[in-house]
């Protein structure tokens, strides 16, 4: 019974609402050409669960997926691995997000072997399922904007069972990078002698269940890649409509 209720909740929470996103600021062709294996794609989702995650994390980004195949594979298709409530960890084409606002984040300094290892970690977990029997874990998203203080909102994401929480998008991506010792937003502690003299620092990974999509955007160790700019952008070639070549319309009215 609980599994059936959970599946129903999953369908309700992940139902896409395209009308809730009036502006899509993405050049999908440029994104397709720019994305590389090991890159993280952040997505501004439009479903009820997306609204809840954006509210609880105070961020534009509600979903994270990892690129496991880019155009260099020669198949003409870019593939991602992501985790969702209904499907668990599974593979999808980049084209799925052609009409979404996205941000591309790239880990700095990873070798090709390390990028491949991160991608392999995700691929090996395809089939991992979200435990929809844990309806407490799902019910937290039924109220997208609960009236709770900002400092407590992120902790609401960890409510419920640890296993299904770890299968949620950004947590699984975080585990992939932690598997090669790469930081996202680590805890950095200062070690001191009993006298108080500093000895150095020690880094600790945050638990993967505490990593949310915005953390890849905020992390100082991930570069934000702007595909349109990377591809080559020249504002002089924009085919502006007549009378819309530049300047604020009010300037013409006031002039």
């Amino acid at each position: 019974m609980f599994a059936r209720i959970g599946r129903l909740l999953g369908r309700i929470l992940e139902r896409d609402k395209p009308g809730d996103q009036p502006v899509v600021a993405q050049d999908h062709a440029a994104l397709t050409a720019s994305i590389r294996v090991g890159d993280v794609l952040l997505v501004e989702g439009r479903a009820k669960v997306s609204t809840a995650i954006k509210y609880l994390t105070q961020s534009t980004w509600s979903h994270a997926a990892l690129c496991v195949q880019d155009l260099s594979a020669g198949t003409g298709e870019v593939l991602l691995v992501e985790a969702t409530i209904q499907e668990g960890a599974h593979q999808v084409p980049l084209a799925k997000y052609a009409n979404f606002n996205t941000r591309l984040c790239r880990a700095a300094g990873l070798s090709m072997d390390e990028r491949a290892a991160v991608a392999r970690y995700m691929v090996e977990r395809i089939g991992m399922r979200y435990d929809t029997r844990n309806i407490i874990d799902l019910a937290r998203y039924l109220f997208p904007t609960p009236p709770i203080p900002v400092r407590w909102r992120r902790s609401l994401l960890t409510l419920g069972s640890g296993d299904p929480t770890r299968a949620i998008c950004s947590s699984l991506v975080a585990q992939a990078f932690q598997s090669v010792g790469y930081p996202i937003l680590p805890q950095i502690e200062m070690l001191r002698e009993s006298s108080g003299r500093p000895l150095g620092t020690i880094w600790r990974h945050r638990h993967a269940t505490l990593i949310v999509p915005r953390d890849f955007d905020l992390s100082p160790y991930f570069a934000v890649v702007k595909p349109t700019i990377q591809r080559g952008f020249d504002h002089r070639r924009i085919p502006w409509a007549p009378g819309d070549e530049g300047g604020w319309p009010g300037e013409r009215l006031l002039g």
Side-chain angles (χ1 to χ4, degrees):
M1 181 183 70
F2 288 115
R4 287 199 299 272
I5 295 174
R7 286 193 293 271
L8 175 61
L9 282 177
R11 287 195 296 271
I12 292 171
L13 293 172
E14 292 190 326
R15 185 178 298 132
D16 190 26
K17 299 179 180 179
D20 291 351
Q21 186 171 285
V23 177
V24 176
Q26 184 192 172
D27 180 342
H28 187 68
L31 174 62
T32 302
S34 299
I35 195 168
R36 298 287 180 267
V37 169
D39 286 355
V40 179
L41 186 73
L42 304 182
V43 181
E44 181 183 8
R46 303 174 297 214
K48 185 183 288 290
V49 65
S50 303
T51 301
I53 292 173
K54 288 187 283 187
Y55 173 77
L56 293 172
T57 62
Q58 297 292 284
S59 172
T60 298
W61 314 114
S62 62
H63 185 64
L66 190 109
C67 178
V68 298
Q69 176 182 294
D70 57 32
L71 291 181
S72 67
T75 64
E77 186 175 36
V78 174
L79 298 176
L80 312 171
V81 171
E82 64 179 8
T84 63
I85 294 171
Q86 293 188 78
E87 302 295 333
H90 62 290
Q91 188 169 275
V92 296
L94 177 63
K96 174 181 177 179
Y97 294 113
N99 295 316
F100 285 76
N101 286 323
T102 60
R103 171 155 293 172
L104 188 59
C105 298
R106 180 168 296 163
L110 281 185
S111 67
M112 293 298 292
D113 287 344
E114 288 172 320
R115 295 170 74 84
V118 170
R120 186 164 57 251
Y121 184 98
M122 294 291 287
V123 170
E124 289 173 351
R125 277 147 187 83
I126 290 176
M128 179 185 292
R129 303 292 297 182
Y130 189 105
D131 184 5
T132 54
R133 292 172 299 178
N134 193 325
I135 59 176
I136 292 177
D137 210 34
L138 292 167
R140 59 187 164 170
Y141 298 122
L142 288 174
F143 305 98
T145 56
I148 58 176
V150 173
R151 66 182 180 276
W152 293 339
R153 289 178 187 171
R154 180 184 287 230
S155 62
L156 189 61
L157 291 170
T158 63
L159 176 66
S161 168
D163 288 338
T165 303
R166 281 196 292 271
I168 290 178
C169 60
S170 54
S171 298
L172 189 59
V173 176
Q175 289 176 315
F177 282 99
Q178 290 177 359
S179 73
V180 297
Y182 197 85
I184 301 167
L185 283 178
Q187 295 174 312
I188 303 176
E189 301 174 11
M190 176 65 72
L191 299 178
R192 297 180 182 275
E193 292 182 341
S194 56
S195 63
R197 186 173 72 89
L199 292 173
T201 58
I202 186 169
W203 291 35
R204 301 184 190 278
H205 287 297
R206 293 183 188 274
H207 198 283
T209 60
L210 300 177
I211 300 297
V212 297
R214 72 173 293 194
D215 291 340
F216 294 96
D217 191 8
L218 294 177
S219 174
Y221 316 110
F222 283 77
V224 173
V225 179
K226 298 281 189 176
T228 301
I229 296 174
Q230 188 176 57
R231 200 181 195 191
F233 173 69
D234 184 355
H235 69 280
R236 301 172 190 83
R237 301 179 64 182
I238 297 176
W240 292 109
D244 199 26
E245 292 84 359
W248 175 55
E251 293 176 0
R252 296 192 289 274
L253 294 174
L254 294 173

